[in-house]
Amino acid sequence: MKKSLTIAALALSASLGAAHAETLNVGMSGGYFPFTFVKLDKLQGFEVDFMNAIAEETGDEVNFVTMSFSGLVGALETGRIDTIANQITITPEREEKFVFSQPYVFDGAQVVVKAGAEDAITGPDDLSGKTVAVNLGSNFEDLLNALPNADEIDVRTYESNIAQDTALGRVDAFVMDRVSSAQLIAESPLPLALAGAPFSEIRNALPFRDDAEGRALRDRINAAITTLKEDGTLAEISQKWFGADITVAE
């Protein structure tokens, strides 16, 4: 009888766990190496491992929804996805629309040029009179527009291929985060180089809709992120993809 009660209790516990499990619809571009990219028809990268680790902690399922980067914010606003895992930087403008998790990546904005031009362009001060590419919908356009010499910079937004156009000389430089830039240069055959040091610290986090449901989901995922930081899982994922821990502020 006691054994039967124990089995029944376990079954009830399992059913309650299943009832509370949710499917997290997570948006990402699938084209931002090494954070989210497709190789051999498999979606992978730091963000994929990160969200899978969160889901394992919360007991939820993850459904990755890939689309162009510029469409991710609209998809979150309309409820097609629950959050975005694509190195979304916390900015005042975004905080007016969304609530954010705690930061899980600390990085910096980086100027990248065609190899050989890094002596002439060593940072944002040298971008006056230059054409500079950024990904459409990213915060790097805002960072460039906030520079003292912004009126002298020709900023061009791209859906893709900013690295290729820089290597081909169609633009003078592009701006992306330091971590991705360094990884891209290391892995790509394109003749590119980092131009100076990062010129702005950026904190990347998961955005959620600013309503009761979104805030509750944010709080639940925040608790999972804290656990992943404390038990070393987040650092391990970072070491796997970058050979360094980019999940803590320097």
Side-chain angles (χ1 to χ4, degrees), residues 24 49-60 206 221 224-225 228:
L24 302 175
D49 287 355
F50 171 60
M51 290 308 306
N52 282 332
I54 284 178
E56 185 173 346
E57 186 65 32
T58 62
D60 298 318
L206 300 173
I221 288 182
I225 294 174
L228 296 178

Side-chain angles (χ1 to χ4, degrees), residues 24-28 43 47-49 51-52 62-66:
L24 302 175
N25 294 306
V26 179
M28 55 177 55
L43 183 66
E47 298 280 17
V48 175
D49 287 355
M51 290 308 306
N52 282 332
V62 180
N63 174 42
F64 292 111
V65 182
T66 58

Side-chain angles (χ1 to χ4, degrees), residues 140-148 150-151 153 155:
F140 298 112
E141 182 177 6
D142 292 334
L143 290 178
L144 287 172
N145 288 333
L147 293 173
D151 291 343
I153 303 173
V155 180

Side-chain angles (χ1 to χ4, degrees), residues 6-76:
T6 301
I7 293 174
L10 289 172
L12 177 60
S13 175
S15 66
L16 287 174
H20 286 291
E22 297 181 7
T23 297
L24 302 175
N25 294 306
V26 179
M28 55 177 55
S29 67
Y32 197 37
F33 179 87
F35 290 99
T36 163
F37 64 100
V38 177
K39 185 176 183 180
L40 300 177
D41 296 327
K42 181 182 179 182
L43 183 66
Q44 52 190 297
F46 171 88
E47 298 280 17
V48 175
D49 287 355
F50 171 60
M51 290 308 306
N52 282 332
I54 284 178
E56 185 173 346
E57 186 65 32
T58 62
D60 298 318
E61 299 290 332
V62 180
N63 174 42
F64 292 111
V65 182
T66 58
M67 65 185 73
S68 66
F69 183 82
S70 60
L72 289 170
V73 169
L76 178 57

Side-chain angles (χ1 to χ4, degrees), residues 40-116:
L40 300 177
D41 296 327
K42 181 182 179 182
L43 183 66
Q44 52 190 297
F46 171 88
E47 298 280 17
V48 175
D49 287 355
F50 171 60
M51 290 308 306
N52 282 332
I54 284 178
E56 185 173 346
E57 186 65 32
T58 62
D60 298 318
E61 299 290 332
V62 180
N63 174 42
F64 292 111
V65 182
T66 58
M67 65 185 73
S68 66
F69 183 82
S70 60
L72 289 170
V73 169
L76 178 57
E77 288 177 321
T78 57
R80 292 172 56 198
I81 55 178
D82 299 310
T83 190
I84 304 170
N86 208 112
Q87 290 305 282
I88 301 300
T89 299
I90 302 172
T91 66
E93 294 77 16
R94 287 172 176 164
E95 287 184 306
E96 290 179 359
K97 291 184 177 181
F98 306 112
V99 292
F100 281 86
S101 71
Q102 60 181 291
Y104 62 95
V105 165
F106 296 83
D107 204 347
Q110 177 67 51
V111 179
V112 182
V113 296
K114 184 177 181 179

